[in-house]
Amino acid sequence: MSDTDLPESPLPLPESLLPAARALFGDRLPLARQYADLLATDGVLRGLIGPREAPRIWDRHLLNCAAMTELIQPDALLVDVGSGAGLPGIVLAVARPDLTVALVEPLARRTVFLDEMVDRLGLGAQVSVLRGRAEEFVRGPLSGRLSPADVVTARAVAPIDRLAAWCLPLSAIGGRLLAIKGASAADEVEEHQDAVGRLGGGAPLVRRCGVGLLDQPATVVEIVRERAVGGTGRARAASGRGDPPRGRRGGTARSR
């Protein structure tokens, strides 16, 4: 089914954004449109997306997140921390069917929503949903439920130093944290680069994704995990990827 064959959408894709959407989602654009519609309806009704954000879902959320794909290597194992409504994790899974994606989210109502989105979009073979905080997958009762990731993503979750503390231990040595940030990204990097180094990360880099494609390219902070630090319980990350991540619903581990 092409994007022109879909029934009328509650959230039409603006004509001005169609070239970028086609470039970023390719033949999965109809799936991206389905997800946009779900965010604009169920997502708003259930408090995952603010009502004022609904008209901006395509430019501010979907395309902004999908632009990150230019930084992600083929066939990567990706963990999305604080996934919320699935941003950027579900968007990246739709745009890149080669990725294996784990959505990590501590709030039950959000993990229920994420499970429903994965099922309704037919992404069950590619995406798993895990309930818990990032640090609980490093040490504590959820330790071992996530394999070391090639890429860990986060969007509007916390300052860079806290993100590095939560996310770097989830990646393999040589893996990367990709954090979507706003206009103050460079200032934030300068403020927290010493803390990032103490946490085992390399020098943070500010990347602009979607240049020439989006009117407002996405700003992404990239941090490579260079070494394990004491107390993370993730030294095994140096050995690379293990088993695929397992999902959770209602606090009980499951496989999708």
Side-chain angles (χ1 to χ4, degrees):
M1 179 184 294
S2 72
D3 56 293
T4 58
D5 295 329
L6 290 174
E8 184 176 353
S9 167
L11 184 71
L13 172 57
E15 191 70 25
S16 62
L17 300 179
L18 187 55
R22 284 176 171 159
L24 291 169
F25 291 106
D27 61 4
R28 301 244 274 187
L29 180 53
L31 193 60
R33 290 184 62 180
Q34 183 182 352
Y35 179 48
D37 291 345
L38 290 169
L39 288 179
T41 52
D42 290 14
V44 171
L45 288 172
R46 294 162 68 171
L48 276 295
I49 296 289
R52 294 182 180 179
E53 289 299 303
R56 309 172 67 185
I57 281 174
W58 275 106
D59 58 345
R60 182 176 172 86
H61 299 291
L62 270 66
L63 298 181
N64 184 266
C65 291
M68 293 176 67
T69 55
E70 66 187 62
L71 299 177
I72 302 173
Q73 67 268 43
D75 303 314
L77 173 60
L78 184 147
V79 174
D80 184 35
V81 171
S83 196
L87 303 167
I90 287 181
V91 176
L92 297 173
V94 171
R96 288 279 300 275
D98 61 302
L99 302 179
T100 299
V101 178
L103 309 176
V104 172
E105 170 56 50
L107 296 183
R109 69 181 181 87
R110 293 179 180 173
T111 57
V112 169
F113 178 84
L114 291 171
D115 271 313
E116 291 178 10
M117 295 302 101
V118 169
D119 289 340
R120 294 174 72 173
L121 296 171
L123 296 173
Q126 182 188 0
V127 181
S128 55
V129 179
L130 301 98
R131 183 183 171 196
R133 300 182 184 279
E135 57 268 34
E136 294 176 316
F137 292 94
V138 178
R139 48 191 174 272
L142 302 180
S143 179
R145 294 189 182 276
L146 278 173
S147 297
D150 300 308
V151 176
V152 181
T153 57
R155 181 175 187 257
V157 173
I160 287 295
D161 57 339
R162 289 162 61 191
L163 278 180
W166 297 336
C167 298
L168 287 179
L170 297 176
S171 73
I173 301 300
R176 293 171 298 143
L177 165 62
L178 299 178
I180 299 180
K181 286 290 181 177
S184 62
D187 293 337
E188 195 174 329
V189 162
E190 183 176 359
E191 180 182 355
H192 297 300
Q193 60 184 345
D194 290 344
V196 169
R198 291 192 295 270
L199 292 164
L205 300 174
V206 179
R207 307 288 197 188
R208 285 168 56 82
C209 302
V211 174
L213 192 62
L214 304 179
D215 289 340
Q216 294 184 327
T219 300
V220 178
V221 174
E222 178 183 24
I223 301 173
V224 175
R225 189 186 189 207
E226 294 185 340
R227 68 190 189 283
V229 295
T232 65
R234 301 296 290 182
R236 66 181 182 278
S239 64
R241 285 160 43 174
D243 296 330
R246 289 175 289 170
R248 290 174 59 87
R249 173 177 288 163
T252 303
R254 67 183 182 93
S255 297
R256 292 200 65 90

